[in-house]
Amino acid sequence: MEWNFLTAEELAGSLRAGEVTSAELTDEAIARIERDDKAVNAICVPDFDRARTAARDADEARARGEDRPLLGIPVTVKESYNVAGLPTSWGMEPYRDHMPAEDAVQVSRLKEAGAVVLGKTNVPVGLQDVQSFNKIYGTTNNPWDHGRTSGGSSGGSAAALASGFGALSIGSDIAGSLRTPAHFCGVYAHKPTLGLAAGRGMVPPLAPAWPTEPDLAVVGPMARSARDLTLLLDVMAGPDPLTFGVAHQVTLPPARHERLRDFRVLLVDTHPLIPTASAVRAGVDRVADALVDGGARVERHSPLLPDLVEAATVYTQLLFSSSVARFPVETYEQLRIRAAGLGADDRSLDAVRLRGMVSSHHDWMEASGRRELHRHGWRRLFAEFDAVVCPVTPTPAFPHDHLPDPRERRIDIDGAEYPYFDQLVWAGLATMPGLPATAVPAGRSPEGLPVGVQIIGPMFEDRTPLRLAELLEQEIGGFRMPGEPASPA
């Protein structure tokens, strides 16, 4: 039996039935990592000795009659999460030996649910790229084409899942960092509603692991099936026990519908600020066909959709205003001088990024106020629709591009070049208002690369896009890695 590509749900069933032990699953996962990860480079910090101990403990717990949601399931963790006894560097060379003393709250929840942590997965420097490479751990390759990126910043996690290195992983998302790697690698990811899952301990080196509420950023699950996303989200969801958790518990509402034919879906595949590659549009079309075939109500246009240019502008300003918070004073001053030289009529995203990096608190408050208008617009839209399906990024995975200055990088969209960071506009559509969004595989490009879509749902109704993702998985199916067995048997 080949276990490495089964879902967590399937593995849990086999463990309960006594068909396999956690020790056997863990040994097989470690063997695959040791065999295949030299080419992919997804697992940057292995923790195999402790994983084997945790697996034996899980088997003993099951023998005593215990049964927890993830008991005995091998998983991985994004490098940016604190794990006691393992380095947390965020890919930043000065902190290669930074060793936190305590687990992040989500790592604790994984362990309490019985998961076996195999190790940590690679990230970009400071988590600030759409690719995953750094001087400490090197470059993570796309498992489908080693000359292309696996995405970022949760690129190591997505590549690990696609390669059979553990059944689940946890990542984070502020600019598509869960959704983009899932789209590039052909796996599933869910960006939860802002604030749904506590993020304490997912912090840069030397930063205190306090229960803060960061703007825009979330932590969330990654998996090889939509149902596994729900399984892991149920473990991750809930407030920090040091703050809101003192008084509150989370009970997510059920999905709005259980059958595909009952869903009302708005499809959007074009953006006024950047084209969508033909391969990505084909993925959206494939989802549209599956929805229609299943009897769902599908629309391509609605006046209720918030203005996409305004949404991208507000998102970009909020995102980049936080990105320079720890920059040296002299760097900030250079940015301020550059921003002052912009023409008053320059409304390009490059200009918005630069202005955002030197924005005042007054500027931020004004942008956040505009965000509230968008949130209200989304509430009106979700009174008419249950979900919005759109691209994750404009392209499939692109070739590695490690130019030191990201402003010099370009993405190729059907033969034309565009600024590198302009590809974030689709990720920002859900991030700016704090909406849940589920990344779902939707086919392959002509070159054989995975292509996905994201399903955006109403705030705190995370089970609605997750359920639609499950139904689409049943209609469309996933696709297997080269060399993966055609059947788990």
Side-chain angles (χ1 to χ4, degrees):
M1 170 75 83
E2 166 64 83
W3 299 100
N4 284 312
F5 286 98
L6 267 64
T7 67
E9 184 179 47
E10 291 167 335
L11 293 177
S14 294
L15 285 164
R16 292 186 184 107
E19 298 169 353
V20 70
T21 66
S22 178
E24 290 169 337
L25 293 180
T26 300
D27 282 341
E28 189 167 313
I30 290 171
R32 179 171 288 272
I33 292 168
E34 291 177 336
R35 188 191 76 190
D36 294 346
D37 198 37
K38 294 179 180 65
V40 178
N41 194 34
I43 309 298
C44 61
V45 183
D47 197 18
F48 296 159
D49 289 342
R50 291 198 300 183
R52 288 188 168 105
T53 299
R56 289 194 296 270
D57 291 345
D59 289 332
E60 291 172 4
R62 191 172 296 282
R64 293 192 300 268
E66 294 185 28
D67 188 12
R68 286 171 269 159
L70 304 179
L71 186 60
I73 305 294
V75 307
T76 60
V77 171
K78 187 174 181 178
E79 198 273 353
S80 50
Y81 284 88
N82 287 347
V83 178
L86 297 181
T88 299
S89 68
W90 285 40
M92 297 185 287
E93 212 168 5
Y95 306 109
R96 64 164 60 236
D97 298 320
H98 171 63
M99 201 79 68
E102 295 181 349
D103 289 343
V105 66
Q106 294 299 342
V107 174
S108 295
R109 288 177 179 176
L110 278 179
K111 292 179 178 179
E112 288 165 5
V116 174
V117 178
L118 297 167
K120 296 178 120 187
T121 58
N122 203 20
V123 296
V125 178
L127 312 190
Q128 294 190 337
D129 204 341
V130 190
Q131 305 172 75
S132 293
F133 67 94
N134 58 74
K135 291 184 179 179
I136 304 174
Y137 301 120
T139 299
T140 298
N141 299 318
N142 191 299
W144 296 85
D145 180 343
H146 295 167
R148 295 176 184 264
T149 181
S150 63
S153 62
S154 307
S157 288
L161 287 167
S163 302
F165 306 159
L168 302 168
S169 194
I170 57 174
S172 61
D173 193 311
I174 192 173
S177 291
L178 286 160
R179 294 161 286 163
T180 297
H183 157 58
F184 284 173
C185 293
V187 298
Y188 293 77
H190 182 69
K191 185 199 88 65
T193 297
L194 182 66
L196 177 61
R200 175 164 50 92
M202 217 291 296
V203 290
L206 305 187
W210 290 337
T212 58
E213 298 293 329
D215 191 37
L216 301 175
V218 301
V219 296
M222 306 182 77
R224 284 195 297 272
S225 80
R227 288 177 63 85
D228 278 0
L229 289 180
T230 300
L231 175 69
L232 184 48
L233 180 66
D234 285 345
V235 170
M236 299 181 72
D240 194 299
L242 299 183
T243 53
F244 292 108
V246 174
H248 300 292
Q249 292 182 333
V250 164
T251 303
L252 290 175
R256 289 188 176 187
H257 310 291
E258 287 298 317
R259 301 176 303 181
L260 200 56
R261 64 176 176 267
D262 295 326
F263 275 87
R264 304 161 298 169
V265 181
L266 176 64
L267 269 82
V268 183
D269 66 358
T270 59
H271 198 287
L273 294 178
I274 193 167
T276 306
S278 57
V280 174
R281 290 199 309 275
V284 176
D285 288 341
R286 189 176 185 208
V287 169
D289 291 342
L291 290 168
V292 171
D293 291 345
R297 172 191 153 194
V298 177
E299 303 287 346
R300 290 274 186 171
H301 304 281
S302 173
L304 296 173
L305 182 69
D307 182 83
L308 296 183
V309 173
E310 169 75 1
T313 300
V314 174
Y315 167 67
T316 300
Q317 184 174 346
L318 292 171
L319 176 66
F320 281 83
S321 68
S322 64
S323 68
V324 299
R326 294 180 177 84
F327 279 19
V329 173
E330 58 272 19
T331 302
Y332 178 85
E333 183 62 21
Q334 293 169 4
L335 293 169
R336 190 190 64 78
I337 293 170
R338 283 177 49 209
L342 292 170
D345 59 346
D346 189 346
R347 293 291 182 265
S348 67
L349 287 178
D350 271 340
V352 175
R353 283 188 280 270
L354 184 53
R355 292 191 184 104
M357 286 190 281
V358 296
S359 61
S360 65
H361 183 62
H362 177 274
D363 295 332
W364 186 92
M365 290 293 291
E366 189 272 337
S368 190
R370 288 154 63 199
R371 165 168 51 187
E372 291 304 324
L373 291 175
H374 277 264
R375 282 176 173 158
H376 183 64
W378 282 102
R379 292 186 195 105
R380 294 176 59 212
L381 182 143
F382 285 126
E384 181 69 22
F385 295 95
D386 301 307
V388 173
V389 171
C390 63
V392 177
T393 71
T395 69
F398 52 85
H400 297 297
D401 183 350
H402 296 177
L403 285 174
D405 187 348
R407 293 173 301 173
E408 297 178 3
R409 300 179 194 166
R410 294 292 182 268
I411 57 169
D412 183 294
I413 303 178
D414 291 344
E417 292 189 342
Y418 295 86
Y420 183 72
F421 282 125
D422 282 10
Q423 65 185 296
L424 301 183
V425 296
W426 285 115
L429 192 60
T431 299
M432 185 267 286
L435 301 173
T438 307
V440 181
R444 299 192 201 180
S445 73
E447 297 80 21
L449 298 169
V451 172
V453 301
Q454 62 178 328
I455 307 169
I456 302 175
M459 184 172 282
F460 288 109
E461 294 189 48
D462 293 56
R463 295 196 191 282
T464 292
L466 285 166
R467 178 56 181 163
L468 185 54
E470 289 180 24
L471 294 169
L472 285 171
E473 182 178 16
Q474 295 169 15
E475 291 290 321
I476 297 176
F479 41 88
R480 300 180 179 278
M481 282 289 299
E484 181 182 347
S487 166

